[in-house]
Amino acid sequence: MLEPLASPLHLVLVSPQIPPNTGNVARLCAVTGCRLILVEPLGFSIDDRNLKRAGLDYWDKVFLKLYPTYDAYVAEYP
C-alpha cells in the first residue's frame, strides 16, 4: 500500500458532474501522489461504474476524501 506524501497537493473538485472526468482526475492523482478532494453534491454515485472504469485499477492508490461543502474543506485546510 502506498503512503501519502508528507505535504501532498490537493486537487479539489467542487460538485463534479461527469463520472469519467472524475475518474480520469483520480487516475492523475494516483500516479502523482496528489490528494483527491470531492466536494458534494456529486452529480453521480461514488459507486458509478463509469467512474470506476475511468479510474481503471488506480482507485486503491487514490487518497480520496469527501466533504459535504466547500466551507467544510476550507475549515480543515485554511
Side-chain angles (χ1 to χ4, degrees):
M1 181 159 164
L2 294 175
E3 293 296 321
L5 300 172
S7 289
L9 294 174
H10 290 191
L11 205 152
V12 181
L13 299 180
V14 178
S15 191
Q17 299 297 309
I18 303 171
N21 289 355
T22 304
N24 290 332
V25 170
R27 193 169 61 232
L28 173 71
C29 289
V31 299
T32 60
C34 295
R35 284 195 190 275
L36 176 57
I37 308 296
L38 299 180
V39 177
E40 296 178 312
L42 307 180
F44 49 85
S45 166
I46 288 292
D47 296 328
D48 188 291
R49 69 177 179 83
N50 291 323
L51 178 69
K52 290 185 184 225
R53 185 174 65 209
L56 301 174
D57 294 329
Y58 292 91
W59 281 108
D60 62 334
K61 296 167 184 65
V62 174
F63 306 108
L64 172 67
K65 186 145 185 193
L66 288 168
Y67 287 90
T69 65
Y70 184 73
D71 289 337
Y73 168 72
V74 171
E76 189 168 332
Y77 295 99

